[in-house]
Amino acid sequence: MTRPRAASERFVAQLPTRVRSRVQVIYSPILEIKPLPVQVNDTDVRGLIFTSANAVNAAASMGVDRALPAFCVGPATTGTAKGAGWQAQMVGQTAEELVAALLQARPDSPLLHLRGEHTRGSVAERLTESGLTVRELPVYQQRLLPLTSEAEAAAFEKEPVIAPIFSPRTARHFADIWHGTAPLMLAAISAATAEPLYSLGSERLKIAKEPTPKKMRKAIKKLVKHALRVEGDEATD
């Protein structure tokens, strides 16, 4: 699991019991989330845009006004925002869908996009260019980490390694640091996330049908099934 530990544990806990019983889980976060020392001025803001749960958590810790409507990408971010006390609504599964939905709905502005230091989609810029005033503020940083010693060891074993990858930046970093010889099977949350992974020559690369935890769990289930079949074939050779 390459996500930060808490997010990885939540994902694993929601895998089917049969899947969990057939794998050894290795936690090797290759991205660390750290809040930035910034102040959020929301006095003239009419709504918030969240494109990640990490931004929601950072905003909550900074005391950003919970009375503001929150426009979110994906069910996980939306659920986190609701849990933190915002009137949150999901307006798309991706940044592209969010931009299109907000341009159609034209909510009161200015809006404030709270995001990480590294982001894709140019949400604020594109919305502002189309006449909907949106400011942006990075509220957390994503620091890249190496693989743990346990993950490094697994990379050179004979057993297949399955790695779920949840963002293009994580994918680029994983492609840079993976040098293993173990059969590698990858699940990518989107086509953009999959793109840097093709260079690894993995045995199998599965892209989730939608960029959601539910579809990622389904992709992992299929990879586990394939890995067990491959190991079974080797055992009968």
Side-chain angles (χ1 to χ4, degrees):
M1 292 302 302
T2 59
R3 301 179 93 185
R5 182 67 182 242
S8 288
E9 288 180 345
R10 285 195 299 271
F11 182 83
V12 170
Q14 292 172 349
L15 287 169
T17 303
R18 184 175 174 82
V19 172
R20 293 202 309 272
S21 68
R22 294 182 169 211
V23 299
Q24 174 193 356
V25 180
I26 297 174
Y27 294 100
S28 179
I30 60 175
L31 199 67
E32 182 181 36
I33 304 301
K34 292 283 191 181
L36 287 168
V38 298
Q39 288 189 329
V40 180
N41 182 3
D42 55 18
T43 52
D44 64 340
V45 172
R46 305 302 296 274
L48 304 171
I49 296 174
F50 290 124
T51 48
S52 75
N54 293 321
V56 175
N57 293 330
S61 69
M62 295 172 184
V64 177
D65 189 357
R66 302 297 207 284
L68 292 169
F71 305 101
C72 304
V73 168
T77 301
T78 307
T80 302
K82 286 181 177 178
W86 275 284
Q87 294 178 308
Q89 57 179 299
M90 189 175 84
V91 286
Q93 298 274 18
T94 64
E96 292 287 333
E97 292 180 3
L98 175 135
V99 168
L102 289 179
L103 287 178
Q104 183 174 20
R106 296 280 170 177
D108 291 342
S109 62
L111 302 176
L112 178 61
H113 180 200
L114 299 176
R115 59 172 181 81
E117 278 187 325
H118 301 276
T119 188
R120 291 171 55 89
S122 304
V123 169
E125 180 181 351
R126 291 166 60 196
L127 288 171
T128 299
E129 286 176 350
S130 298
L132 188 64
T133 303
V134 179
R135 301 198 302 267
E136 61 182 342
L137 179 68
V139 290
Y140 67 93
Q141 63 180 176
Q142 306 112 305
R143 190 165 69 91
L144 299 176
L145 302 174
L147 291 172
T148 63
S149 57
E150 186 182 9
E152 286 276 13
F156 291 93
E157 297 290 343
K158 292 183 179 181
E159 289 80 11
V161 173
I162 298 172
I165 309 292
F166 290 85
S167 74
R169 187 161 187 255
T170 304
R172 289 191 295 272
H173 184 47
F174 186 82
D176 287 339
I177 63 177
W178 176 267
H179 303 291
T181 55
L184 179 62
M185 301 180 189
L186 298 164
I189 199 166
S190 66
T193 300
E195 191 173 330
L197 301 172
Y198 288 112
S199 64
L200 290 172
S202 59
E203 182 169 317
R204 183 154 293 202
L205 172 55
K206 191 158 190 64
I207 301 173
K209 291 186 177 180
E210 293 176 0
T212 65
K214 181 179 179 180
K215 295 300 182 182
M216 280 291 279
R217 289 193 295 271
K218 187 166 285 190
I220 294 300
K221 181 179 177 181
K222 290 181 178 179
L223 288 179
V224 169
K225 186 176 181 181
H226 177 74
L228 291 171
R229 187 164 64 245
V230 169
E231 285 195 301
D233 290 342
E234 289 178 351
T236 58
D237 286 346

